[in-house]
Each structure stands twice: as structure tokens, then as C-alpha cells.
Amino acid sequence: MTDVTATATDRAHRAAKRYVYAFGGGRAEGDASMRDTLGGKGAGLAEMTNASLPVPPGFTITTEACNDYFAAGERLPDGLWEDVLEAIGHVEQQTGKGFGDASSPLLVSVRSGAKFSMPGMMDTVLNLGLNEETLNGLVALTGNERFGWDAYRRFIQMFGRIVMGVSGEKFDEALDHVKEQRGAKQDTDLDAAALRQVVEAFLEIVRSEAGRDFPSDPREQLDLAIKAVFASWFGKRAHDYREYNKIAHDLGTAVNVVTMVFGNMGDDSGTGVAFTRDPNTGEKVLYGEYLTNAQGEDVVAGIRTPLHIRDMLERMPDIYNQFVEIAGRLERHYRDMQDLEFTIERGRLYMLQTRSGKRTAAAAVRIAADMVDEGIITEREALARIEPAHVDQLLRDQFDPASRVQAQKITAGLNASPGAAVGKAVFNADRAFEMAQQGEKVILVRIETSPDDFHGMAAAQGVLTARGGATSHAAVVARQIGKPCVAGCASLVIDYGTRSARVNGLGFSEGEWISLDGTTGEVFVGALPTTQARFEDQAELQKLLEWADRARRLQVWTNADKPEEAAMARRYGAQGIGLCRTEHMFREGERLDIVRDAILVAFQATRAKERREAGDSLSAEDEAAVGRFDEALAKLEKLQEGDFYGIFEAMDGLPVVVRLIDPPLHEFLPNHAEVLVEVTRMEATGVAADDPHYVEQREVLRAVEALREQNPMLGLRGIRLGLMIPDLIKMQTRAILNAAIARRRDGGDPHAEIMIPLVGHVNELSRTREILEAEARQVQDAAGMEVDYKFGTMIEVPRGALTADAIAEHAEFFSFGTNDLTQMAFGYSRDDAEGGFLLTYVERGILPENPFQSLDVEGVGQLVRMAVEKGRAARPGIEIGVCGEHGGDPASIAFFNEVGLDYVSCSPFRVPVARLAAAQAALQGAAERDK
Ligand code: ADP
Ligand code: MG
Ligand code: MG
């Protein structure tokens, strides 16, 4: 009887929980919808079986069994073992073989498989069920002695390493030793007698290393292997991977027990992996590699150099055509690019795995766009498939073409994961991790990588390996975490001992700069300059973002201080400027001198003017200060007007939010200690009291001292400064409005919005508004022209958010300054926190995330939500946006969408990312409302 469902009822009687799901013979108890329970691999095996694809029979032990195993103190939960034995019985029926049967042995693989595919993170044991007796049966059955001994030695090696904890190197050494003795170059050169010798050596290694004999009872082997898979869920490398990818630790892994099929039974056998489309470019071609007469992970490990999947067409045309047909079916079935694992046993094809393939950013975008064109998925589905990180990656730097030509290229390997990476060479993952922690840019250089190198790869700018193909560990992981990777640089001789790498006399040692081009596979010595990726050339990306524009509700504006930045952001799709920081214009070249001049006398001049208005006459010194101040301001006004003109021109027809001066004045003055040292030095060397340099330095010192604050972050900055020195407000108002008037005269369409920073009390705003409006009136009267402008404020002080209703009476728009709002809500000074304790906080889980990167929805989010509600209640239709860095963070964008902001504003290169994130937020929000 081969109906797998018949036994289901028996099992249901025995235990309340269902721990085992069988598949085989065209029917499976599970299906693709059961990823939570069966893991990705198990669900895929079930689904492929149901689709009548050739899958060897087997069964899946659920993720729940894994969790119950740990809950029970690392004991198999009640009923599980009985279910397993029953399922084995089932497989025996299907295959006509017996588990432990010496005449016709059933061998299985034991494979882990969590809900999310974690390449290389957990270990698979092949050929389980072998011992001296079943080996004889296998040899008799296949008539292939060499094959039998090879299978056995692989089994002892894997089981010994993975299940019994014997170091893999011991086995490698023993194998190399026999190869050397026999003059064999490759594993395949060893004959049966040699392999038998290897087996004996391996058994001895197990005995001495594990302190026990290798288990010969297949049931004990299975029991131990299942527990080992469970245990690997909490192994360090799996744990690290989950941490990095933010995967929950309580999902557990399933265990798949699958009848072995043998790719190493001769030249009509083989094993391979293939993607249904090119995972680097997204091109619609079968992409993969295979090896004849090989088993299991030979392809992935890079021990022998595999053949291109294309070569199968010539060597095994029937199999190739069958495979192409299956690949197409699976892709259409799952409606996504698939990553397939297969084995050919004596001319018969078996499918061992299907899953959505990992891909580069470029491939993700191209595949999504193509699949819409092919009618496989909808535009909305395409948008959901692109990650904001993908868009980000596509806009990342590339090597400057000119310097690439002159650079010293030392070698090239496989272009395994695209992008440009520059860093110091490091030959060890731990060291790479440490150096990166200290802020160094590093490139991890390894002969080949293993899962133990993951933390080093994640911390590095890029990865370079000497061995391994396009599906090697290094390549797969690098693509997935978006790091450039050059793999299989066979000419590179890496010496871990001297921490150096050589090619034809050239090379580099640890700490030296190297540059990798993962797009071409080239490796350079030195640090190559990089250039921006060209958005204009990426047609598929643009197409997707246009779909995103149709799906989103939030507008995307940009933070730009210069016309060039504004123009770039506009090309990226920005719909306005949400933040133009006027003081950034103060810092350049000769301007700084003018600004300093103004600051030196600002307070004196302001007070003098006040006295003059009150009717007092001024001293000659005060008169001079006023004159000097006004002159400096007049120069600044001219310069600013020119800047604003340029920005209005670049953003013609779109809103431009200009923020009045924000930072504390001392930021424009020289460092206190330096001036003090200079003055003291001059005095010590007996400088003349009227020495002009000395007089000047004394004046600077006095100004610096007068402006020194204990806590500049909480001191005289933002509108507080403007209210102390109203001429600053007036000057900037004139510059903005005159620039707008000039644009209008030149036929432009400027939309100025003047923004007041750091308002905590409504009176700060109302007072500023009086000053500003009076000045604006004068400018317009003088010009004989009216210009529309908006007057609004930032909400970035908690008190401002709490009293947003009162503030909205005087503001036509709000813009959340979430950087300051986060600082003040948490009571952190950002610079001190990020340079100090904050990262430790995140590491130790005291904070879930850095709140300056992703908005703290729980706390700071409440202030935002409250201010939106109060603002809208007081002034319906008030324009509300965000201009903090959170405006470019996808998770924060989802929140801003939810609370109903009108726009997010972010740095120019984040604009495309924000367009996608805003669309995803809108689609997600709509999906939740439909539930
Ligand atoms: P991973 O999760 O690392 O991909 P798998 O469980 O897929 O691990 O196993 C790795 C490889 O082992 C597979 O790609 C396949 O080549 C081989 N393998 C696993 N199970 C079997 C089997 N039953 N018969 C033959 N080869 C197998
Ligand atoms: Mg594995
Ligand atoms: Mg696999």
C-alpha cells in the first residue's frame, strides 16, 4: 500500500500533535502553504511531490517538534520517535528497500530546513543507514564496490563532523594522506581499496576523537542525526545569521529525511544547482553548475570545478530538456525565480530542493519588471518583491572609469556579487570583524569561506576568495547581504601564515588597501576612487518606481542646500525641497570670514540698535560695531539671495522649504583652545599691545568666550538665536523673497516656504512672524510685486509637539525634525550617544534599534502622532512633513504614512528608496484595511 494519507489517522490517535508529514509516490501530506510547520525545504519537497515531479520519497519532522525538543530539555517529544519509525516504514514500502536491511539497504539524507532559507547555516548528513553490513548490500546491489566505499567514507566524515563533533580537518588530513600515498590528484582517482583504507582511518579517528565507536545501528544514527539538526538551530553560526537578518529565534527548524539518490554512480550520474534566471543580472536564462559522478555538496564546496549547466545539453540532452521543462514549471508555479537542487542517478533526474532564489539588487529589479511584462505577476506584486535596500544598492558607488584604467589590476576572478568595494585586506574573519568595529574599512580575503566566516563577511566592504564558483558559500552569502564579491581567483596564492596574497610576484599583505569590482571580477591594489551609479541608465528601476509613484500616497521631497543637489534630487523624482539649510551656505570659502565678522560684533551691534531706537545716542565704538555688522549682513544677504535664486530655479514649480539659521554661533568661530593658545603665546613672547594680529585674536577670543555654552545643543540655537539678533531673521527673509521676486521676473515659478527651527513655545513663533511679515511687506512694496510664500515651523522640541494646536494657529505648515525630537525625547545628545553607549545599548538589546536610524514609534512616534492630530484640529489641511533623517528610512516611512503625513523629505540619493518604501507602505496599509 502506498497511500501516504492512510497512516495519518493512526498518528492522530497516538499523539495530540502531528510531528511528521510524509511525501512520496506523487502524494504528500503537506504543501507549499505549510512553510511555518515544514520549513521552506520541506514545504517545497511536498509541493514538488504533489506536482508529480520526481522527488525521492521521505518525510518532514515539523518545526514544532524542534521547539518541543528544546522545551522538554533536549529530549524527543512523546510520540515523535514512533511517528518517525512509522514514516520510515512507509518509505521502505515505497522504495522496496529496508532501513538497515543488509540485502537491500535504504539510505537517507537528514537535512535541516527552517522557514527562511539559511544557506549553509545548518548541516546535512548524507548516506545515513550505512554500516559494514548494509555497505555489502549496497555494493552487491549496485555492483560497484568503489561507489559503496566512497558513500561510506563520506557518511562517516559528515556524520563524524556534524553529529559527533569530530574536527573536519582530521578527516581531510587522513584523506589527503591516502591520496598522497596512492598518487591520486582528485578524490575520484581513489579506487575501492584506497577508499576502504580511508574508511578504516576515519573509523579510528572517530574512536579516538569522540571516545566511542561509530554507531552502526541505522536507527541510532537517525536518532542522533535528528537531534543534531535540532541542536544546529541554536549553533553559533545559525544564531549569528538570524541576528543579522532579524529572524526570530523561536521559529525552530524542520528536519527532512529523504531517500538517497546517488549522483556518484558513474558518468551517467551527477549533481547540480541551478537558478531559473541569472541571479546576477536577472536575465531570463538558466544559470547554474553541475558535476558528473559527484555527490551532495561537491558543487557548492568548490572541491572540483563544476561545468556550466549549458554543457548538460550536449552531454545529457534528455535530462537537460526534462530539467528545463521542470524549471519552467516550478517558476510559473511559484511565480518567482527558483533556486533548484537536483541529482541524476544513472540517467534519472531527481529534484531535491526548490526555493525562491537569492538575487542581486539588479536582478531583483529586472526579474520583477520582466515578470510583469510576461504576465506572471502584477505591478503591485512586483513592488512588494523589491526591497528598499535593493534600490539603495543600485544607486551605490562604482569605480571611477578613468582611474580604473590606470589602476594596478593584479588579477581577476569570478564576478560573484556586483558593486565596488574598497578596504584594507584582512585574512581572517574575526580580525575583519574587530577592525570594522573600530571603524576601519576592510575586505575579507579567504581561500574559501565557510559559515564560520559570516560575521567577518557581514562586517567587510567586500569578499575575495581564491576558490569556489558562482554558487560557492562566499558568492551566495555575499549576494544575499549585498556585498561585492570576487570569488574563485585561482591565480591568487593566499598564505594565512604570513597574512599575504601573491599573484605573479605582485600582491598585498594584511592592512594594505585593495579594491574589488564585483561586477567585473577585477581585483586592484590600492584604494580606487568611486563614482555614483547612474540612475538615468537604469530603465527597469525607473519603470518600477513609476509604478511605485502610482501606488503611493506620501509625497517624497528632498533635503538639499545647493542647486546641484536639488537638481540631482529632482532627477531622482523629488517633488519638493523639505529642508534647505541656509547656514550650510555660510561655511564656504570667503563666506566664513564675513560670517565671523558679523558674529564678532553681532550682540554689541544689536544692543546698540535697540538703544538707538529708544532714543539714545551711540558711542563711536557702538557706531562702528553697527556699521561693521550691517556691512557684513549686506554681503551675506547678496550671497544668500544668489543661492536661493539657484535653488528656486532648480526646483521651478515645486515647493522649497527654507529653514532660517539654526546652529549655535560658536560653530562658525575657531576652536576656543586654539585661540587661547595663540593669544597666550603672543603675550608670553612680549607682543606689542597694538600688534594688529594680536588685537584681532584678542577680539576673537573674547567673542568665543562670550558664546561658550555648557550645552550648545540645548543653548542659544534655532529661533532663540534669531530672536536675540532679529537682523538675522530680517536679512534671511529679504534674501529669500528677493530671490523669489527675481525668479518671477525671469519667468520662473518659485514656491518659497519659510521655516522656523526649534520652536518650543508659541510665542517664539508669533514674535518671529511679526518680524518676518513686516520685513516681507517692505520687500514686496519695494519691488512692487506680491509673492506667495508660506510661513511654518519645525516640530522638533517635545513641548512644540505637545502644544501643536496653539502653534498651528501661527503656522501654515509643520515639518518634523525627528533628529532633534529623538534627542530631546530620549535625553540623548546624538553625537555623544552614537559615539558611546548607544551601540552597546542596541547590542545588548536594551534598545531594539538605534532610534536615530529608525524612528522610535513607541515613544517619539507618540509625539509625532499627537502633533499631527492637534495641528490638523486647529488648522484643517495644514501641510505636514518630516525632514529628519528618518524621512529616508523605510520602516519610519511606513509609520509616517500611517499617521497621515503629506510628505517625507530625505537626502537626494535616498529619494528613489523613499518612493518605493512609500508605495510599499500604502499597499501594506491597504492590505491591512482589507483584512
Ligand atoms: P542546504 O540547506 O545546505 O542546501 P541540503 O539539505 O539541500 O542542504 O543538502 C545539500 C545537498 O546535499 C543537496 O543539494 C544535495 O545535493 C545533497 N542531498 C541532500 N539530500 C539528498 C538525497 N536524498 N539524495 C542525494 N543527495 C542529497
Ligand atoms: Mg547545508
Ligand atoms: Mg540545499
Side-chain angles (χ1 to χ4, degrees), residues 41 109 111 124 126 258-261 271 296-297 341 352-353:
K41 201 178 284 171
S109 64
R111 318 165 65 188
T124 295
L126 301 177
V258 185
T259 304
M260 280 304 301
V261 287
T271 183
E297 305 210 306
E341 296 179 10
L352 292 173
Q353 189 169 338

Side-chain angles (χ1 to χ4, degrees), residues 525-548:
V525 177
L528 256 63
T530 50
T531 57
Q532 279 258 312
R534 280 179 54 82
F535 183 61
E536 287 74 10
D537 300 339
Q538 307 190 42
E540 276 111 1
L541 177 59
Q542 304 223 27
K543 184 150 86 173
L544 262 145
L545 290 178
E546 276 158 30
W547 297 338

Side-chain angles (χ1 to χ4, degrees), residues 243-263:
E243 283 285 301
Y244 185 86
N245 288 286
K246 300 204 165 68
I247 295 175
H249 293 298
D250 62 2
L251 294 177
T253 178
V255 184
N256 300 287
V257 178
V258 185
T259 304
M260 280 304 301
V261 287
F262 298 99

